[in-house]
Amino acid sequence: LDFFFAGEISNARHNPAMPELPEVETVRAGLARLLKKNATHAIISRIELTRGDIRKPIPTTVVTQLTGQTILGLRRRAKYILFDTAQGSLLCHLGMTGSWRLAPPGDEREHDHCYLHLSDGRRLAFRDPRRFGLLDFVAPGQDTTHPCLAHLGPEPLDEQMFHADYLLTACHKRKQAIKPLIMDQSIVVGVGNIYAQEALFLAGISPRRRAGRLRPTEAVELVKHIRHVLTAAIKAGGSTISDFRQAGGSSGYFQHQFNVYDRAGLPCTRCTTPLRAAVIGGRGTTWCPTCQR
Ligand SMILES: [Zn+2]
């Protein structure tokens, strides 16, 4: 049971990259697996906060509402992880360096901000050295109105909500470049800087293309590749965690799969043209001037 150090993947060599959707989903799945093994005992017997704030103050309702509650499931919305109970949810954002781990007695570390004591004696620790993370309480029925969760676009892996027609409508007459548009959380959540670049490369679309000039066939390709890169990274995350245990070291992001991210000046993996780099929408961006138009 003590395999679980999934959150530690956010301490990646890629500094200062934030954990993106696949990393967060990997942490969520790892936590869910951990809790499921003792499903009937996943009761929060005590919540211990070692400080009152992380990025923002931790509301007292985290303790008053969730103590004694059974964790019914682990959900991800955008890059938030929600520990669901009948009385509401514990909302967690990993920020840049947040991680969850099983912390047996004696395993207290600097920057552990919160301990969830479970009724079966286990203890989960939330650690976040740089404190860009977040812990908050979401009352029942506040899933779309809580300040962190309101104004979020659809999940990229949700085929009912995020599809080519939706993307085309969102792009309609927009002069903004396509890359910042697909990274806009109010349009679609969880497409961060790494995977936006990869998806645009695979779809053959320049990150500088005006969103309003996206063609319907390209929207189909872009949606398909956004889903593809995220799904592949989530799958790689699973294997990364297994490797992690054997190696006992930091695996970092799933960088071996990248075609363009962080490869400025290097040859395109498809046509060998040197990759170009520029700041687009405030974020460093790399692309192939031949393959992406
Ligand atoms: Zn190329």
Side-chain angles (χ1 to χ4, degrees), residues 201 260 267-275 287-292:
F201 172 79
V260 285
C268 172
T269 53
R270 203 171 263 175
C271 74
T272 74
T273 302
L275 298 179
W287 75 99
C288 174
T290 303
C291 295
Q292 295 174 258

PDB file of all heavy atoms in Angstrom, residues 201 260 267-275 287-292, ligand 1:
ATOM      1  N   PHE A 201       1.155  20.803 -33.027  1.00  0.00           N
ATOM      2  CA  PHE A 201       2.124  20.164 -33.934  1.00  0.00           C
ATOM      3  C   PHE A 201       1.474  18.972 -34.647  1.00  0.00           C
ATOM      4  O   PHE A 201       1.535  18.845 -35.870  1.00  0.00           O
ATOM      5  CB  PHE A 201       3.362  19.701 -33.160  1.00  0.00           C
ATOM      6  CG  PHE A 201       4.305  18.878 -34.000  1.00  0.00           C
ATOM      7  CD1 PHE A 201       5.167  19.479 -34.897  1.00  0.00           C
ATOM      8  CD2 PHE A 201       4.305  17.491 -33.902  1.00  0.00           C
ATOM      9  CE1 PHE A 201       6.030  18.717 -35.691  1.00  0.00           C
ATOM     10  CE2 PHE A 201       5.162  16.718 -34.692  1.00  0.00           C
ATOM     11  CZ  PHE A 201       6.029  17.338 -35.585  1.00  0.00           C
ATOM     12  N   VAL A 260       7.713  18.932 -29.894  1.00  0.00           N
ATOM     13  CA  VAL A 260       8.140  20.328 -30.018  1.00  0.00           C
ATOM     14  C   VAL A 260       8.449  20.993 -28.677  1.00  0.00           C
ATOM     15  O   VAL A 260       9.349  21.838 -28.607  1.00  0.00           O
ATOM     16  CB  VAL A 260       7.091  21.187 -30.784  1.00  0.00           C
ATOM     17  CG1 VAL A 260       7.144  20.874 -32.269  1.00  0.00           C
ATOM     18  CG2 VAL A 260       5.688  21.005 -30.231  1.00  0.00           C
ATOM     19  N   PRO A 267      15.972  19.760 -34.684  1.00  0.00           N
ATOM     20  CA  PRO A 267      15.250  19.362 -35.903  1.00  0.00           C
ATOM     21  C   PRO A 267      13.865  18.812 -35.600  1.00  0.00           C
ATOM     22  O   PRO A 267      13.673  18.084 -34.622  1.00  0.00           O
ATOM     23  CB  PRO A 267      16.154  18.284 -36.510  1.00  0.00           C
ATOM     24  CG  PRO A 267      17.058  17.838 -35.426  1.00  0.00           C
ATOM     25  CD  PRO A 267      17.180  18.971 -34.458  1.00  0.00           C
ATOM     26  N   CYS A 268      12.908  19.186 -36.469  1.00  0.00           N
ATOM     27  CA  CYS A 268      11.544  18.654 -36.375  1.00  0.00           C
ATOM     28  C   CYS A 268      11.603  17.126 -36.458  1.00  0.00           C
ATOM     29  O   CYS A 268      12.323  16.570 -37.284  1.00  0.00           O
ATOM     30  CB  CYS A 268      10.708  19.219 -37.517  1.00  0.00           C
ATOM     31  SG  CYS A 268       9.068  18.472 -37.673  1.00  0.00           S
ATOM     32  N   THR A 269      10.825  16.458 -35.629  1.00  0.00           N
ATOM     33  CA  THR A 269      10.819  14.997 -35.615  1.00  0.00           C
ATOM     34  C   THR A 269      10.217  14.427 -36.901  1.00  0.00           C
ATOM     35  O   THR A 269      10.398  13.258 -37.216  1.00  0.00           O
ATOM     36  CB  THR A 269       9.997  14.472 -34.418  1.00  0.00           C
ATOM     37  OG1 THR A 269       8.703  15.086 -34.456  1.00  0.00           O
ATOM     38  CG2 THR A 269      10.677  14.786 -33.104  1.00  0.00           C
ATOM     39  N   ARG A 270       9.514  15.286 -37.664  1.00  0.00           N
ATOM     40  CA  ARG A 270       8.829  14.807 -38.859  1.00  0.00           C
ATOM     41  C   ARG A 270       9.593  15.176 -40.134  1.00  0.00           C
ATOM     42  O   ARG A 270       9.668  14.387 -41.063  1.00  0.00           O
ATOM     43  CB  ARG A 270       7.423  15.419 -38.887  1.00  0.00           C
ATOM     44  CG  ARG A 270       6.417  14.663 -39.692  1.00  0.00           C
ATOM     45  CD  ARG A 270       5.028  15.232 -39.471  1.00  0.00           C
ATOM     46  NE  ARG A 270       4.264  14.498 -38.468  1.00  0.00           N
ATOM     47  CZ  ARG A 270       3.070  14.860 -38.039  1.00  0.00           C
ATOM     48  NH1 ARG A 270       2.503  15.965 -38.493  1.00  0.00           N
ATOM     49  NH2 ARG A 270       2.424  14.138 -37.155  1.00  0.00           N
ATOM     50  N   CYS A 271      10.155  16.410 -40.192  1.00  0.00           N
ATOM     51  CA  CYS A 271      10.744  16.886 -41.455  1.00  0.00           C
ATOM     52  C   CYS A 271      12.168  17.422 -41.286  1.00  0.00           C
ATOM     53  O   CYS A 271      12.762  17.875 -42.263  1.00  0.00           O
ATOM     54  CB  CYS A 271       9.853  17.967 -42.063  1.00  0.00           C
ATOM     55  SG  CYS A 271       9.965  19.547 -41.210  1.00  0.00           S
ATOM     56  N   THR A 272      12.694  17.445 -40.070  1.00  0.00           N
ATOM     57  CA  THR A 272      14.054  17.893 -39.715  1.00  0.00           C
ATOM     58  C   THR A 272      14.291  19.397 -39.834  1.00  0.00           C
ATOM     59  O   THR A 272      15.395  19.868 -39.582  1.00  0.00           O
ATOM     60  CB  THR A 272      15.170  17.142 -40.487  1.00  0.00           C
ATOM     61  OG1 THR A 272      15.208  17.594 -41.841  1.00  0.00           O
ATOM     62  CG2 THR A 272      14.989  15.632 -40.418  1.00  0.00           C
ATOM     63  N   THR A 273      13.294  20.192 -40.236  1.00  0.00           N
ATOM     64  CA  THR A 273      13.443  21.654 -40.205  1.00  0.00           C
ATOM     65  C   THR A 273      13.716  22.085 -38.763  1.00  0.00           C
ATOM     66  O   THR A 273      13.080  21.574 -37.848  1.00  0.00           O
ATOM     67  CB  THR A 273      12.122  22.333 -40.668  1.00  0.00           C
ATOM     68  OG1 THR A 273      11.802  21.881 -41.981  1.00  0.00           O
ATOM     69  CG2 THR A 273      12.231  23.852 -40.657  1.00  0.00           C
ATOM     70  N   PRO A 274      14.664  23.019 -38.547  1.00  0.00           N
ATOM     71  CA  PRO A 274      14.873  23.503 -37.174  1.00  0.00           C
ATOM     72  C   PRO A 274      13.588  24.143 -36.618  1.00  0.00           C
ATOM     73  O   PRO A 274      12.950  24.938 -37.301  1.00  0.00           O
ATOM     74  CB  PRO A 274      15.990  24.552 -37.321  1.00  0.00           C
ATOM     75  CG  PRO A 274      16.670  24.219 -38.606  1.00  0.00           C
ATOM     76  CD  PRO A 274      15.600  23.628 -39.504  1.00  0.00           C
ATOM     77  N   LEU A 275      13.240  23.773 -35.394  1.00  0.00           N
ATOM     78  CA  LEU A 275      12.002  24.285 -34.794  1.00  0.00           C
ATOM     79  C   LEU A 275      12.170  25.746 -34.394  1.00  0.00           C
ATOM     80  O   LEU A 275      13.230  26.142 -33.910  1.00  0.00           O
ATOM     81  CB  LEU A 275      11.619  23.444 -33.570  1.00  0.00           C
ATOM     82  CG  LEU A 275      11.315  21.971 -33.855  1.00  0.00           C
ATOM     83  CD1 LEU A 275      10.982  21.239 -32.558  1.00  0.00           C
ATOM     84  CD2 LEU A 275      10.173  21.815 -34.854  1.00  0.00           C
ATOM     85  N   TRP A 287       7.483  25.526 -32.462  1.00  0.00           N
ATOM     86  CA  TRP A 287       6.708  24.876 -33.509  1.00  0.00           C
ATOM     87  C   TRP A 287       7.559  24.673 -34.755  1.00  0.00           C
ATOM     88  O   TRP A 287       8.641  25.261 -34.870  1.00  0.00           O
ATOM     89  CB  TRP A 287       5.436  25.683 -33.839  1.00  0.00           C
ATOM     90  CG  TRP A 287       5.660  26.932 -34.633  1.00  0.00           C
ATOM     91  CD1 TRP A 287       5.497  27.081 -35.980  1.00  0.00           C
ATOM     92  CD2 TRP A 287       6.072  28.207 -34.131  1.00  0.00           C
ATOM     93  NE1 TRP A 287       5.786  28.372 -36.356  1.00  0.00           N
ATOM     94  CE2 TRP A 287       6.138  29.078 -35.243  1.00  0.00           C
ATOM     95  CE3 TRP A 287       6.408  28.705 -32.873  1.00  0.00           C
ATOM     96  CZ2 TRP A 287       6.518  30.423 -35.116  1.00  0.00           C
ATOM     97  CZ3 TRP A 287       6.788  30.032 -32.748  1.00  0.00           C
ATOM     98  CH2 TRP A 287       6.836  30.870 -33.858  1.00  0.00           C
ATOM     99  N   CYS A 288       7.073  23.856 -35.669  1.00  0.00           N
ATOM    100  CA  CYS A 288       7.776  23.617 -36.921  1.00  0.00           C
ATOM    101  C   CYS A 288       7.168  24.498 -38.005  1.00  0.00           C
ATOM    102  O   CYS A 288       5.991  24.361 -38.329  1.00  0.00           O
ATOM    103  CB  CYS A 288       7.662  22.142 -37.343  1.00  0.00           C
ATOM    104  SG  CYS A 288       8.394  21.872 -38.987  1.00  0.00           S
ATOM    105  N   PRO A 289       7.982  25.415 -38.592  1.00  0.00           N
ATOM    106  CA  PRO A 289       7.443  26.325 -39.600  1.00  0.00           C
ATOM    107  C   PRO A 289       7.054  25.604 -40.889  1.00  0.00           C
ATOM    108  O   PRO A 289       6.305  26.165 -41.704  1.00  0.00           O
ATOM    109  CB  PRO A 289       8.581  27.328 -39.828  1.00  0.00           C
ATOM    110  CG  PRO A 289       9.822  26.623 -39.373  1.00  0.00           C
ATOM    111  CD  PRO A 289       9.394  25.670 -38.300  1.00  0.00           C
ATOM    112  N   THR A 290       7.534  24.381 -41.079  1.00  0.00           N
ATOM    113  CA  THR A 290       7.184  23.635 -42.291  1.00  0.00           C
ATOM    114  C   THR A 290       5.911  22.804 -42.080  1.00  0.00           C
ATOM    115  O   THR A 290       5.006  22.835 -42.909  1.00  0.00           O
ATOM    116  CB  THR A 290       8.350  22.707 -42.691  1.00  0.00           C
ATOM    117  OG1 THR A 290       9.516  23.494 -42.874  1.00  0.00           O
ATOM    118  CG2 THR A 290       8.032  21.943 -43.970  1.00  0.00           C
ATOM    119  N   CYS A 291       5.866  22.077 -40.986  1.00  0.00           N
ATOM    120  CA  CYS A 291       4.727  21.172 -40.751  1.00  0.00           C
ATOM    121  C   CYS A 291       3.485  21.894 -40.249  1.00  0.00           C
ATOM    122  O   CYS A 291       2.377  21.371 -40.343  1.00  0.00           O
ATOM    123  CB  CYS A 291       5.097  20.089 -39.735  1.00  0.00           C
ATOM    124  SG  CYS A 291       6.390  18.970 -40.310  1.00  0.00           S
ATOM    125  N   GLN A 292       3.671  23.070 -39.650  1.00  0.00           N
ATOM    126  CA  GLN A 292       2.531  23.768 -39.034  1.00  0.00           C
ATOM    127  C   GLN A 292       2.264  25.067 -39.782  1.00  0.00           C
ATOM    128  O   GLN A 292       3.136  25.933 -39.842  1.00  0.00           O
ATOM    129  CB  GLN A 292       2.813  24.027 -37.560  1.00  0.00           C
ATOM    130  CG  GLN A 292       2.920  22.750 -36.751  1.00  0.00           C
ATOM    131  CD  GLN A 292       3.343  23.012 -35.314  1.00  0.00           C
ATOM    132  OE1 GLN A 292       4.489  22.819 -34.943  1.00  0.00           O
ATOM    133  NE2 GLN A 292       2.395  23.457 -34.500  1.00  0.00           N
TER     134      GLN A 292
HETATM  135 ZN    ZN B   1       8.371  19.685 -39.498  1.00  0.00          ZN
END
